[in-house]
RNA sequence: GCCGAGGUGGUGGAAUGGCAGACACGAAGGUCUCAAAAACCUUUGGAGCUUAAACUCCGUGGGGGUUCGACUCCCCCUCUCGGCACCA
């Protein structure tokens, strides 16, 4: 503690006025760059880190250099209504954590930006009859104003907006790199289409088969789409999960989404035809019970039948045609709704089961998914509920091959008898009496040795559909040349392309645009067309171009890319917002490859790698799968291209909770948005952020109500008043007061470390109650208290800190360290229990040894002694008759 | 259906297996005031008992178990909330 004369007091009787204090400090922090680390420095210190309580001091205290801490939060998409209190809760909490880490001696980089591109923002613009460009300009201003007003310690010089050409230039560059690596391809694919909104929807915008916004039933349409080959990284995405410091829940969600399944593809001969059908199964053990084959409407055998490649009765062909047409028109929701009622049509073909010789009828049914496995399955109605439903509906045979726990060996006639999970084999020749899991392995070996099939691994994960037939996104920077396509030329047949990839002949005609950005033009009619083409397709001045290869006429891609691509790499750009010619930190050899990159830019790119990967990433649990998976994929791809040297972007991810209102997520459509501006005006940002964090655990959130905010306001005012009105002395603190101080420090530090802000605040309140009962306050107590409170109430504590005569910001001072010695107790209180009831307590000295005697005496009297304490003694356990344990 | 997280006063919520309900809101009573607001003080899980100090019993969704001791660990049931879902 600094040496200040006793009885120092400061500016007495000043009333706490957040309206003047908060903007004052915000302006000062900005001006002095308190939260702006020098990204290039080997030991980057924020602007005001000098002076007595500075980092220098702390460094020497700790005896080591400060460490870099990249404190990242998921950036918001700027909506017209602005921030709501839910965002104050999440951003506030993350900022509290960042401020804590800063005081702990880390160099914290805490950037902020706006995810302004995308369907959300575009829809809003459409609804309000606004243009997305104008809309973005307005909301941006409002958002940054609000983000300033809550007093978070952002590095404002490093903000990004995804719709800024300086940003999406690199989003497009990233697309080009993926294309060149063979990770981006174009193919025909069915997509979700909302007939009412006249637009395609992303999978995540389809909820239970309905459009997220208008609840119309979503249709499927076939469109030419760009995809990213994320499936190439399925295995790495899965195996890396193990080593991530993420919550179990999020890891599991990712695992499930990737959905690795190990099974086997079995090929069956079709009777009387020179053709086969291959199915995928994870349960080949049940093959002796297989009685039919079902194939998806999209299966190639179906088209063979319809086109006559495989000839069958034309009446049946017609029936199939009718069925296929019907199935295609069925929406997702209808398919699910009708889930219980199976449908299908018989092809008049049979497949031979090589084990039983059973002639399995081949059916076409829409309960078989075209995109999973081989798009065909073998039906074992005795041991799969869906197969059972199908078999009963079409009166196919049901054969039992597994006996479950119930021991039932009789025929299977009801769905309750269908045994899926475990049991023992029966009626299966060489597999009989084997456990089904063992039988599965044995059967797979057998099938492979006989050449009937081959083990395969399938994933639930599909390639990432990146195209959007929309306006408000970065144009996909690709050029298509018709004449090159005819000759089979593409970027992959050029010198550069050949060197990197082989066999991408299906990409004939495609070349990447090297001259980036491909700017999104300001067009009046930006609304989605609903024709399967993007609005830019109506603008020849945009899409007409020349072929980079042959110089002939060529056209640009008019689709834009998915907003998840924008947000998939933003954390890299934050560190390079001032580098015009290099997208993000990378080794200087790589950085030098960029055209126009200056020497200093290359050096910066090299140095700033030290900040990566992200130290701590905090965001909504709703992004546990898609966004995080995409960011991981892009990072892995960039690593393989040599641009980054790590394959996981976020060392640690923490999912915060949500502040809801009346049981529902806040949204304008529900009319339950709480605007923080009013609260900030009335109570101040300090009160609001502390109150929200006190409302509930950070990983849970809570229901917003303002009934308690007065209490928080009262608390902060009381703290202000206590320290203003009390005599501040420098005399020696009593042991009791030292103990209280150090207990609070210890508890609060642990809470902050684990992001348990609500309990941390509660401890500060308890400590306040203790201090308020004292006649005078010691300077050390004031300083410690202000520091502990500083992350929550940065403005108020800064003001008080400065009133104490400190020259430098409290936020660059050091976090109080607790001292074990004040927590130790020489006297240990022992609880005496008789028959499990607390009888009395007695105090024994741990040191003098008499305790043991005493305990032995109590033991003889059949008394249970247990406990504690916070000093050195962890636990004392005594059971009747003997001393079991005495841990010091 | 599968997976995950939960169930504690009037409310939000605290409790490394060790005195359940920290802290706060609300409520009740009081001080100040002509009055109100603000501020401050006291009480506040339920039941019983006592002149009082104090004390006793019951209590963490329900039922079992492990333990000297369980909100906490294990098993079964139940309800709520999230995620995935005709994935073979």
């Amino acid at each position: 503690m600094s040496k200040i004369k006793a009885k120092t007091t400061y500016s007495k009787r000043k009333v706490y006025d957040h309206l003047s204090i908060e903007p004052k400090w915000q302006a000062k922090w900005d001006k002095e760059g308190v939260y702006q680390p020098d990204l290039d420095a080997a030991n980057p210190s924020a602007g005001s880190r000098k002076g007595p309580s500075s980092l220098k001091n702390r460094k020497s205290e700790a005896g080591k250099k400060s460490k870099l801490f990249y404190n990242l939060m998921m950036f918001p998409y700027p909506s017209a209504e602005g921030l709501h209190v839910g965002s104050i809760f999440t951003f506030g909490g993350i900022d509290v954590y960042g401020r804590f880490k800063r005081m702990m001696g880390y160099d914290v980089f805490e950037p902020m930006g706006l995810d302004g591109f995308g369907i959300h923002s575009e829809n809003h613009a459409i609804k309000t009859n606004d243009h997305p460009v104008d809309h973005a300009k307005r909301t941006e201003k409002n958002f940054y104003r609000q983000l300033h007003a809550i007093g978070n310690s952002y590095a404002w010089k490093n903000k990004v907006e995804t719709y800024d050409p300086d940003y999406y230039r690199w989003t497009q560059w990233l697309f080009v790199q993926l294309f060149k690596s063979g990770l981006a391809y174009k193919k025909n694919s069915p997509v979700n289409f909302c007939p009412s909104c006249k637009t395609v929807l992303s999978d995540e915008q389809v909820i239970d088969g309905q459009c997220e916004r208008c609840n119309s039933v979503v249709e499927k349409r076939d469109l030419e789409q760009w995809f990213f080959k994320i499936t190439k990284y399925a295995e790495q995405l899965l195996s890396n999960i193990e080593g991530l410091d993420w919550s179990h829940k999020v890891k599991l969600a990712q695992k499930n989404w990737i959905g690795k399944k190990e099974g086997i593809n079995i090929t069956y001969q079709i009777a009387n035809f020179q053709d086969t059908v291959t199915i995928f199964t994870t349960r080949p053990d049940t093959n002796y019970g297989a009685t039919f084959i079902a194939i998806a409407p999209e299966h190639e055998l179906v088209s063979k039948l319809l086109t006559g490649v495989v000839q069958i009765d034309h009446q049946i062909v017609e029936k199939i045609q009718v069925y296929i047409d019907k199935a295609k028109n069925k929406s997702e929701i209808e398919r699910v709704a009708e889930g219980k009622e199976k449908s299908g049509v018989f092809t008049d073909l049979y497949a031979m089961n090589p084990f039983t010789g059973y002639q399995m009828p081949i059916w076409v049914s829409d309960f078989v998914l075209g995109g999973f496995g081989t798009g065909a399955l073998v039906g074992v109605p005795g041991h799969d509920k869906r197969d059972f439903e199908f078999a009963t509906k079409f009166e196919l045979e049901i054969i039992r091959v597994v006996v479950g726990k119930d021991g039932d060996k009789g025929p299977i006639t009801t769905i309750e008898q269908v045994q899926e999970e475990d049991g023992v084999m029966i009626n299966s020749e060489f597999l009989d009496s084997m456990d089904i899991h063992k039988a599965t392995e044995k059967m797979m070996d057998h099938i492979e040795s006989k050449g009937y099939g081959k083990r395969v691994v399938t994933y639930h994960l599909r390639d990432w559909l990146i195209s959007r037939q929309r306006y408000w996104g970065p144009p996909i920077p690709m050029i298509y040349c018709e004449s090159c396509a005819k000759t089979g030329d593409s970027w992959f047949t050029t010198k550069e392309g050949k060197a990197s990839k082989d066999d991408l002949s299906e990409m004939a005609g495609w070349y990447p645009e090297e001259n980036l950005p491909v700017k999104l033009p300001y067009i009046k009619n930006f609304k989605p067309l609903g024709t399967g083409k993007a609005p830019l397709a109506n603008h020849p001045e945009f899409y007409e171009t020349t072929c980079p290869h042959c110089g002939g006429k060529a056209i640009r891609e008019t689709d834009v890319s998915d907003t998840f691509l924008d947000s998939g790499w933003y954390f890299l750009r934050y560190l390079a917002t001032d580098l015009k010619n290099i997208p993000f930190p990378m080794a200087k050899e790589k950085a030098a490859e960029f055209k126009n990159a200056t020497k200093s830019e290359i050096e910066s790119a090299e140095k700033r790698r030290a900040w990566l990967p992200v130290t701590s990433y905090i965001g909504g649990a709703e992004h546990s799968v898609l966004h995080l998976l995409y960011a991981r994929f892009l990072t892995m791809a960039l690593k393989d291209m040599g641009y980054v040297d790590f394959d996981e972007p976020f060392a640690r991810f923490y999912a915060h909770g949500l502040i809801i209102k009346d049981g529902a997520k806040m949204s304008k459509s529900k009319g339950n948005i709480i605007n923080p501006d009013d609260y900030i005006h009335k109570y101040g940002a300090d009160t609001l952020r502390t109150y929200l964090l006190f409302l509930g655990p950070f990983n849970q959130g809570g229901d917003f109500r303002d009934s308690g905010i007065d209490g928080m306001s009262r608390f902060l005012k009381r703290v202000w008043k206590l320290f203003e009105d009390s005599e501040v002395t420098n005399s020696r603190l009593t042991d009791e007061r030292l103990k209280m101080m150090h207990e609070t420090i210890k508890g609060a530090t642990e809470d902050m470390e684990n992001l348990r802000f609500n309990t941390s605040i509660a401890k500060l309140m308890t400590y306040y109650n203790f201090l308020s009962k004292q006649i005078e306050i010691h300077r050390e107590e004031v300083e410690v208290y202000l520091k502990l409170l500083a992350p929550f109430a940065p403005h108020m504590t800064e003001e008080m800190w400065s009133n104490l005569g400190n020259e430098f910001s409290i936020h660059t001072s050091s976090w109080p360290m607790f001292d074990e010695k004040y927590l130790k107790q020489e006297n240990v209180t022992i609880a005496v229990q008789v028959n499990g009831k607390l009888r009395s307590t007695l105090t024994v000295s741990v040191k003098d040894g008499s305790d043991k005697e005493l305990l032995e005496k109590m033991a003889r009297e059949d008394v249970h002694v247990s406990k504690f304490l916070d000093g050195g003694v962890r636990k004392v356990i005594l059971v009747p008759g003997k001393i079991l344990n005495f841990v010091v």
Side-chain angles (χ1 to χ4, degrees):
Chain A
M1 285 301 143
S2 13
K3 296 234 160 50
I4 303 272
K5 274 172 199 148
K7 301 235 171 187
T8 308
T9 57
Y10 53 90
S11 50
K12 284 279 198 184
R13 304 287 173 266
K14 216 161 141 190
V15 175
Y16 176 64
D17 174 24
H18 66 268
L19 287 174
S20 68
I21 289 172
E22 293 188 348
K24 178 178 107 187
W25 284 107
Q26 283 161 16
K28 202 155 183 218
W29 292 334
D30 278 358
K31 202 177 141 219
E32 295 179 0
V34 171
Y35 308 123
Q36 188 71 48
D38 177 358
L39 298 174
D40 287 331
N43 276 312
S45 300
S48 69
R49 273 201 183 141
K50 28 193 158 150
S53 329
S54 76
L55 184 71
K56 258 185 197 162
N57 262 5
R58 188 169 55 239
K59 269 185 201 164
S60 58
E61 278 163 28
K64 55 182 175 184
K65 287 178 190 172
S66 66
K67 287 169 279 180
L68 306 186
F69 194 97
Y70 187 169
N71 191 36
L72 181 68
M73 56 194 84
M74 286 182 184
F75 62 164
Y77 82 88
S79 56
E81 55 265 32
L83 287 176
H84 52 73
V85 293
S87 337
I88 311 281
F89 169 75
T90 58
F91 295 150
I94 297 164
D95 181 61
V96 165
Y97 188 58
R99 285 179 180 278
F100 165 68
K101 285 288 178 187
R102 191 176 285 113
M103 292 175 80
M104 285 292 275
Y106 289 88
D107 278 296
V108 176
F109 178 52
E110 186 175 305
M112 177 43 77
L114 297 176
D115 189 13
F117 256 153
I119 296 180
H120 265 294
S121 304
E122 183 177 345
N123 284 347
H124 204 279
I126 293 170
K127 224 188 245 169
T128 52
N129 219 4
D130 206 351
H131 193 282
V133 173
D134 307 327
H135 177 257
K137 268 186 203 149
R138 251 201 334 278
T139 55
E140 175 180 315
K141 214 177 150 201
N142 189 37
F143 255 71
Y144 283 141
R145 177 189 62 77
Q146 288 186 307
L147 286 164
H148 248 96
I150 60 179
N152 286 353
S153 56
Y154 295 128
W156 281 114
K157 280 187 188 161
N158 298 77
K159 57 187 173 50
V160 302
E161 294 91 33
T162 52
Y163 48 82
D164 181 347
D166 280 342
Y167 182 84
Y168 72 71
R169 168 189 181 188
W170 298 113
T171 307
Q172 291 172 333
W173 172 85
L174 183 55
F175 191 106
V176 168
Q177 303 316 307
L178 290 165
F179 172 80
K180 290 180 175 176
S181 306
L183 291 169
Y185 64 92
K186 196 170 192 188
K187 74 160 192 199
N188 199 59
S189 159
V191 291
N192 305 305
F193 185 85
C194 173
S196 157
C197 301
K198 289 186 181 166
T199 174
V200 293
L201 299 172
S202 56
D203 280 345
E204 55 275 12
Q205 283 181 306
V206 180
I207 295 163
D208 290 336
Q210 295 177 352
C211 171
E212 169 187 60
R213 277 165 298 126
C214 67
N215 293 332
S216 314
V217 172
V218 169
E219 295 168 0
K220 287 274 177 198
R221 283 206 183 177
D222 286 338
L223 294 170
E224 277 260 304
Q225 305 287 315
W226 281 98
F227 287 87
F228 285 161
K229 215 177 267 178
I230 189 171
T231 51
K232 192 186 163 193
Y233 286 89
E235 195 54 49
Q236 195 180 352
L237 287 165
L238 185 69
S239 57
N240 273 14
I241 289 175
E242 191 77 11
L244 294 173
D245 182 13
W246 295 13
S247 77
H248 175 69
K249 195 187 159 126
V250 175
K251 286 196 201 176
L252 208 67
Q254 295 237 339
K255 241 181 230 175
N256 290 342
W257 187 264
I258 295 165
K260 182 178 178 174
K261 284 234 166 79
E262 288 174 35
I264 191 162
N265 279 353
I266 307 176
T267 303
Y268 296 105
Q269 183 62 44
I270 297 174
N272 305 323
F273 284 92
Q274 286 294 61
D275 213 332
T276 58
V277 58
T278 301
I279 60 92
F280 171 77
T281 181
T282 55
R283 292 291 307 277
D285 52 306
T286 60
N287 217 264
Y288 281 91
T291 55
F292 68 92
I293 297 280
I295 60 176
E298 302 89 341
H299 196 273
E300 81 177 317
L301 182 59
V302 175
S303 45
K304 279 187 191 169
L305 294 173
L306 295 180
T307 54
V309 175
V310 173
Q311 288 198 346
I312 49 170
D313 187 298
H314 75 275
Q315 281 188 341
I316 292 173
V317 171
E318 270 169 37
K319 268 194 197 162
I320 295 172
Q321 187 66 58
V322 169
Y323 182 78
I324 300 290
D325 290 346
K326 225 173 99 188
K328 269 202 177 153
N329 286 331
K330 260 196 212 174
S331 64
E332 200 68 21
I333 193 165
E334 284 167 318
R335 274 175 79 142
V336 174
E338 293 171 7
K340 287 238 157 59
E341 189 66 20
K342 296 280 182 288
S343 67
V345 57
F346 180 44
T347 59
D348 205 29
L349 297 174
Y350 291 87
M352 251 269 290
N353 187 335
F355 295 98
T356 56
Y358 197 98
Q359 300 284 308
M360 302 182 291
I362 300 175
W363 288 68
V364 180
S365 175
D366 65 4
F367 89 93
V368 185
L369 301 173
F372 184 79
T374 59
L377 61 82
V378 59
V380 184
H383 305 289
D384 182 289
K385 291 197 166 142
R386 292 151 309 180
D387 294 353
F388 179 85
E389 283 160 3
F390 191 81
T392 17
K393 167 117 190 209
F394 297 106
E395 296 175 345
L396 302 166
E397 197 180 349
I398 299 166
I399 301 170
R400 177 190 282 280
V401 288
V402 177
V403 180
K405 278 185 201 145
D406 56 10
D408 185 2
K409 291 183 183 176
I412 295 165
T413 52
T414 66
I415 195 152
E416 287 76 29
Q417 288 174 284
V418 175
Q419 190 68 37
E420 289 181 323
E421 294 307 318
D422 44 24
V424 171
M425 304 308 301
I426 181 177
N427 302 330
S428 300
E429 299 184 3
F430 71 104
L431 298 175
D432 279 353
S433 79
M434 221 180 258
D435 176 82
I436 59 164
H437 304 291
K438 264 191 193 158
T440 304
E441 284 306 308
K442 179 137 193 183
M443 189 59 156
M444 285 197 190
D445 289 343
H446 187 72
I447 289 170
E448 283 190 326
S449 71
K450 286 270 181 184
Y452 299 145
K454 218 177 164 200
R455 278 182 166 91
V456 284
V457 175
T458 64
Y459 297 91
H460 169 249
L461 185 70
R462 304 293 151 82
D463 277 344
W464 176 9
L465 197 168
I466 204 80
S467 313
R468 294 291 180 272
Q469 290 72 45
R470 285 290 199 137
Y471 168 70
W472 194 229
I476 290 175
M478 298 298 300
I479 295 169
Y480 183 71
C481 172
E482 186 78 47
S483 61
C484 283
K486 276 179 188 152
T487 57
D489 285 332
S490 76
W491 182 83
F492 294 102
T493 61
T494 63
K495 215 172 162 191
E496 192 193 349
K498 265 186 193 153
S500 61
K501 278 290 147 191
D502 51 340
D503 189 36
L504 281 151
S505 48
E506 74 268 30
M507 297 310 298
W510 285 104
Y511 296 92
E513 172 62 83
E514 305 285 359
N515 199 6
L516 298 174
V518 177
K519 275 204 182 167
L520 180 69
Y522 188 103
I523 59 170
K524 279 229 166 85
N525 197 357
F526 62 87
K527 287 177 190 163
L529 308 172
T531 56
K533 293 247 181 190
L536 288 178
N538 282 349
H539 292 263
E541 75 279 9
F542 171 79
Y543 65 73
E544 281 179 355
T545 186
T546 52
C547 175
H549 183 63
C550 69
K553 269 194 178 177
I555 53 166
R556 288 185 189 284
E557 171 64 65
T558 53
D559 284 357
V560 299
S561 61
D562 181 11
T563 181
F564 276 103
L565 180 59
D566 305 319
S567 58
W569 74 281
Y570 75 115
F571 59 95
L572 294 170
R573 184 61 187 167
Y574 274 139
L575 287 160
T577 48
D578 56 330
L579 307 186
K580 271 263 173 272
N581 301 298
I582 300 172
F584 47 76
M586 62 180 73
K588 51 179 185 278
E589 299 76 33
K590 269 292 192 190
E593 289 173 10
F594 286 84
K595 267 194 300 189
N596 306 327
T598 64
K599 215 175 162 189
S600 86
E601 283 181 327
I602 292 168
E603 269 169 31
S604 288
E606 162 89 13
K607 282 179 191 160
R608 295 180 191 180
R609 289 187 304 158
W611 289 92
L612 289 168
V614 173
T615 322
S616 162
Y617 193 27
I618 302 180
E622 70 273 23
H623 294 113
S624 342
V625 176
L626 294 171
H627 162 63
L628 290 175
L629 202 66
Y630 294 150
R632 294 181 63 212
F633 156 64
L634 293 172
T635 304
M636 286 172 189
L638 284 171
K639 190 191 176 193
D640 286 353
M641 295 173 204
Y643 287 109
V644 298
D645 53 10
F646 50 91
D647 59 358
E648 285 294 338
F650 314 120
R652 181 174 166 207
F653 172 71
Y654 181 94
H656 61 69
L658 290 176
I659 293 290
I660 54 174
K661 176 67 182 155
D662 305 325
K665 199 174 163 178
M666 281 183 215
S667 75
K668 203 173 186 186
S669 59
K670 290 182 190 109
N672 60 357
I673 290 274
I674 308 287
N675 188 328
D677 290 347
D678 308 338
Y679 289 96
I680 290 176
H681 183 76
K682 189 173 173 194
Y683 297 98
D686 284 344
T687 300
L688 182 61
R689 44 193 278 154
T690 314
Y691 171 63
L692 288 168
L693 291 171
F694 184 61
L695 204 60
F698 192 54
N699 59 2
Q700 278 174 46
D703 208 356
F704 182 81
R705 60 194 68 208
D706 57 13
S707 62
I709 196 168
D710 284 316
M712 186 54 70
S713 175
R714 232 174 279 159
F715 165 66
L716 291 181
K717 276 188 204 156
R718 277 195 285 235
V719 171
W720 172 275
K721 210 163 162 259
L722 178 70
F723 294 165
E724 281 280 302
D725 292 354
S726 304
E727 289 294 306
V728 176
T729 75
N730 260 350
S731 56
R732 195 177 174 277
L733 280 166
T734 60
D735 280 356
E736 190 207 8
R737 293 175 76 162
L738 279 169
K739 187 174 170 246
M740 184 65 193
M741 177 194 283
H742 286 278
E743 271 176 357
T744 307
I745 293 171
K746 186 174 194 239
T749 308
E750 277 168 12
D751 287 345
M752 295 294 265
E753 207 68 75
N754 296 304
L755 295 97
R756 291 194 308 243
F757 304 128
N758 57 334
T759 51
S760 183
I761 295 165
K763 285 185 179 89
L764 288 177
M765 287 176 164
T766 309
Y767 191 27
Y768 165 82
N769 290 341
F770 176 85
L771 288 178
S772 68
K773 290 190 185 83
Q774 310 301 326
I775 297 158
E776 88 282 277
I777 309 290
H778 293 239
R779 187 182 174 92
E780 191 181 352
E781 286 171 326
V782 174
E783 293 199 347
V784 163
Y785 199 90
L786 289 183
K787 285 178 177 181
L788 295 179
L789 185 59
F792 297 103
H795 312 86
M796 189 184 97
T797 51
E798 186 82 308
E799 176 77 13
M800 295 171 81
W801 186 249
S802 129
N803 285 350
L804 274 173
N806 288 296
E807 197 184 333
F808 300 99
S809 170
I810 190 172
H811 303 292
T812 55
S813 73
S814 55
W815 186 257
M817 299 297 281
F818 67 89
D819 192 334
E820 283 278 358
K821 80 176 177 215
Y822 296 111
L823 305 178
K824 263 186 197 155
Q825 261 193 227
E826 295 200 349
N827 291 332
V828 175
T829 308
I830 304 285
V832 179
Q833 299 172 351
V834 177
N835 298 330
K837 306 282 181 201
L838 187 77
R839 278 296 163 200
S840 64
T841 58
L842 54 103
T843 303
V844 294
S845 167
V846 179
K847 278 183 179 164
D848 65 12
S850 64
D851 50 324
K852 199 167 179 183
E853 213 172 291
L854 189 60
L855 294 172
E856 277 168 350
K857 181 170 172 277
M858 291 189 302
R860 281 195 295 278
E861 287 163 5
D862 202 19
V863 166
H864 300 312
V865 181
S866 61
K867 252 181 139 162
F868 17 116
L869 270 185
D870 13 21
V873 177
R874 288 281 166 264
K875 196 177 260 181
V876 180
I877 298 174
L878 204 68
V879 293
K882 60 175 178 176
I883 295 174
L884 263 193
N885 209 343
F886 190 45
V887 190
V888 180

